[in-house]
Amino acid sequence: MRQLTAGTGRLMITPPFDSELSGFVAREGRSRGVHDPLYARALVLADGKEKIALVSVDALGVDAKLLAKVREKVAHLTDLNPSSVMISATHTHSGPVTMEDIFLGEVDPAYRNGLINNIAGAVYLANQTLEPVTVFVGEEECRSVGKNRRQKGGPTDAQVLVVRLQGADGPKALLVNYACHPVVLGPDNFLVTADYPYYLLNALEQVYPGAQAMFMNGATGDVNVGHNTADSIQGKGNDRRTFREAARLGRILAGVALTASENAVALRSVNLSYAAQELSVPFEQAPTADFYLREVDTWKRQAVELKQKGASFGEYHQAEVWAQWAEKMAELQQANKIEPVIKSEVAAFSLGELEFVTLPGEFFHEFALMIKKERAPRRVVILGYTNHNIGYVAPEHVYDEGGYEVNDSYRYYGLPSPLTRGAGEEIVRTLLTMLKKLKNL
C-alpha cells in the first residue's frame, strides 16, 4: 500500500468595495461591505504515483476559461499535471461575478485575474506542505438545513459525508460534503459573504485548530434552505433570510459534521486513482434568429409593462436581462455560431474504497442518489459546481413538470436552449463507468 501525503493552502479572494454581486436578478445595487472574507482553499493529495489538487472557492461558479487559466498557472508553479486540478465552487449568491459569457452580472477583469492567481497560489501553497496523513471517513444525516425547493417536504440528499485527514500533529484537513444552495441571504443583502458555509467552517476550525476545513457542495439543483425561486426573483424577503439564520444553519450542520468526524473510521487502503473525461452535452434544437429577435421585442415590452404596473425590480429586471440574452442569441445565430452541444468535463477519483465524482453544474439531488445507490456500499463524495457550470441539470421527469430550472434558467447561463432531456442521466452513466474503470487501473 502506498503512503498518502496531503498539503493544504488558502488565499483570500474577497472582492473590493462596490463590486457587482452575482446570484440574484432582484439585487438592486452593488456590494457595500464585507461580512466575512472569501477564500480559495486547496488540498493536494499524492501517493507517489498520482497527484491531484482539489480547490474549494467561495464563488457562484467556475467557467471553462477560468479553469484553463488556473491550470496553466498551476502547471507553471508546480509539478502537478494540469488536468488533475479540480475547482469546486461553494455557490454562494453573495460573492462577486466570476463567470464570463453569462447573464448573471458583468465580470471585473482585474478581479478575475487576481482570482486566477490566488486559486493557483493556494494550490502552490498546498503543494509545499505535503506530509503523511491517515484518512478517516464518517457520515451522518442532516434534514434541518437543506430543503426541496420544488416540493414542500420533498426528498433531498441528506447525507453529510466528512473526510478527515490526520497528520502527525492532529487534523490537517476536513472535507464536508453536503448538498444545499447557500442562499440564506437574499437579494436584499449587499455584504460579501460565503453564507452558511462561513459559519460551518468557522465552527469546525475552532474545534480543530490548525486544520483547514473545506465545504464541498453537492447536487443542489432543487435544494435550498426553504424558500422558492419565485420569492428570490420577486425580491421577497422574510425573517429567515438573515445572518442570524445563516449562523444557526451553519452551526447545526457543523454539529452534524463534527459527530461524523469524531465517529469516523480510518481507511485501510488509500491508493489514489484519478481519471477525467471530456463531455459534449447536447442542447434542445436552438430557435431561429427571427425567433430570438421576436423574443427581444417580447421581453422589452414586458419589462416596460411590468414597470408601469409597479412590479418589483426583480420582475422587470429579469425581463430586461432576458431581452439582452435574446439579442445575444440572435447575433450568434445570424453568425452561425450557436453550437448544438456545450463542451464540459467530469472527473472521478478514489482513495481506496472512498470515491469522488465531479458534476459541472447545478444537478438535481436525484442524480447524487443514483450514483450513491449504484456504488453502495462504497461511499461517494459528490462534488457539485466543479470544473465548469453548464447550468441546471434536471432528471427526465422534471421536463414534464416544468418550472424555472428547465424552462427559464438556461438564459441566465447564456445557453441557446435547455439541455436535452436525458442529458443528466447520460452524465451519470459516464461517471459510473469511470468509477468502475478506476478499480482496474
Side-chain angles (χ1 to χ4, degrees):
M1 183 176 71
R2 301 190 291 270
Q3 173 64 60
L4 185 73
T5 60
T8 58
R10 78 177 86 188
L11 285 173
M12 197 179 294
I13 57 171
T14 309
F17 182 83
D18 200 35
S19 293
E20 183 171 5
L21 300 178
S22 186
F24 293 114
V25 72
R27 183 182 275 125
E28 193 174 3
R30 300 166 72 86
S31 70
R32 287 296 174 261
V34 176
H35 177 272
D36 50 274
L38 306 184
Y39 286 96
R41 298 173 173 90
L43 172 69
V44 171
L45 298 173
D47 70 350
K49 182 179 178 182
E50 291 272 13
K51 179 181 277 193
I52 64 172
L54 178 61
V55 188
S56 171
V57 294
D58 292 323
L60 188 72
V62 173
D63 62 34
K65 293 178 184 176
L66 187 147
L67 174 66
K69 289 180 179 178
V70 169
R71 285 174 165 175
E72 181 182 356
K73 189 86 175 177
V74 168
H76 176 70
L77 292 169
T78 75
D79 59 347
L80 279 145
N81 185 319
S83 66
S84 67
V85 176
M86 295 163 281
I87 308 175
S88 180
T90 62
H91 201 53
T92 177
H93 283 46
S94 295
V97 184
T98 54
M99 295 180 283
E100 295 181 335
D101 303 321
I102 61 173
F103 293 84
L104 291 163
E106 187 173 340
V107 170
D108 176 349
Y111 172 78
R112 186 169 152 112
N113 287 339
L115 176 66
I116 290 165
N117 285 337
N118 279 17
I119 294 173
V123 175
Y124 169 83
L125 294 173
N127 198 48
Q128 300 299 305
T129 64
L130 293 171
E131 65 170 287
V133 293
T134 303
V135 181
F136 292 82
V137 182
E139 67 173 293
E140 291 289 337
E141 284 195 348
C142 180
R143 300 189 182 277
S144 55
V145 176
K147 307 291 183 182
N148 190 310
R149 74 182 194 186
R150 289 174 57 91
Q151 177 187 349
K152 189 172 183 179
T156 64
D157 178 8
Q159 185 183 49
V160 180
L161 195 51
V162 174
V163 182
R164 191 177 86 243
L165 302 176
Q166 194 84 3
D169 298 325
K172 186 175 184 71
L174 196 74
L175 300 187
V176 180
N177 182 218
Y178 182 68
C180 181
H181 264 75
V183 288
V184 179
L185 282 304
D188 58 345
N189 170 56
F190 299 98
L191 298 179
V192 171
T193 177
D195 209 279
Y196 74 81
Y198 161 69
Y199 295 97
L200 161 71
L201 301 181
N202 188 52
L204 291 172
E205 288 182 349
Q206 288 184 47
V207 174
Y208 297 121
Q212 177 168 286
M214 298 169 62
F215 174 65
M216 315 306 300
N217 216 334
T220 74
D222 55 343
V223 181
N224 68 14
V225 292
H227 54 271
N228 62 49
T229 305
D231 287 345
S232 292
I233 293 171
Q234 293 167 9
K236 291 182 179 178
N238 63 53
D239 58 4
R240 288 285 179 107
R241 302 195 78 167
T242 63
F243 283 104
R244 178 176 291 183
E245 178 67 1
R248 187 181 74 87
L249 295 180
R251 289 166 186 157
I252 286 173
L253 188 54
V256 177
L258 181 59
T259 300
S261 175
E262 289 300 306
N263 290 327
V265 176
L267 292 180
R268 292 190 298 273
S269 169
V270 288
N271 289 347
L272 181 60
S273 298
Y274 175 83
Q277 184 170 322
E278 294 184 351
L279 299 176
S280 293
V281 186
F283 297 118
E284 292 184 357
Q285 180 67 44
T288 63
D290 285 343
F291 176 87
Y292 286 127
L293 290 172
R294 289 195 297 273
E295 286 281 275
V296 173
D297 292 336
T298 297
W299 293 120
K300 283 184 175 179
R301 185 168 59 252
Q302 186 174 116
V304 171
E305 291 172 354
L306 286 168
K307 271 187 180 181
Q308 291 173 342
K309 291 178 180 177
S312 68
F313 172 78
E315 289 172 295
Y316 71 74
H317 185 51
Q318 176 171 261
E320 292 172 338
V321 171
W322 288 359
Q324 294 168 10
W325 164 82
E327 280 185 317
K328 182 64 175 179
M329 293 304 111
E331 176 186 320
L332 291 173
Q333 191 68 291
Q334 288 168 338
N336 198 30
K337 290 184 177 179
I338 288 184
E339 299 291 337
V341 300
I342 183 169
K343 300 287 188 179
S344 192
E345 66 174 80
V346 289
F349 65 99
S350 61
L351 285 171
E353 292 300 301
L354 177 65
E355 299 178 336
F356 299 73
V357 296
T358 68
L359 298 176
E362 310 210 46
F363 285 64
F364 275 47
H365 83 277
E366 288 178 44
F367 293 121
L369 297 184
M370 289 178 196
I371 294 169
K372 291 177 180 182
K373 180 179 179 181
E374 183 68 22
R375 297 304 293 169
R378 298 176 182 87
R379 285 178 283 201
V380 186
V381 177
I382 307 293
L383 301 170
Y385 305 99
T386 301
N387 288 355
H388 202 189
N389 196 329
I390 61 174
Y392 281 89
V393 184
E396 289 191 60
H397 69 86
V398 175
Y399 284 72
D400 296 324
E401 299 166 6
Y404 166 78
E405 295 87 355
V406 291
N407 295 342
D408 299 322
S409 65
Y410 66 93
R411 299 186 185 97
Y412 286 116
Y413 280 102
L415 308 179
S417 56
L419 301 178
T420 299
R421 179 191 294 252
E425 284 81 357
E426 182 59 32
I427 292 171
V428 166
R429 285 191 286 272
T430 297
L431 285 166
L432 289 172
T433 299
M434 292 171 69
L435 286 173
K436 290 172 185 175
K437 288 181 177 178
L438 280 180
K439 298 305 173 186
N440 299 321
L441 292 179

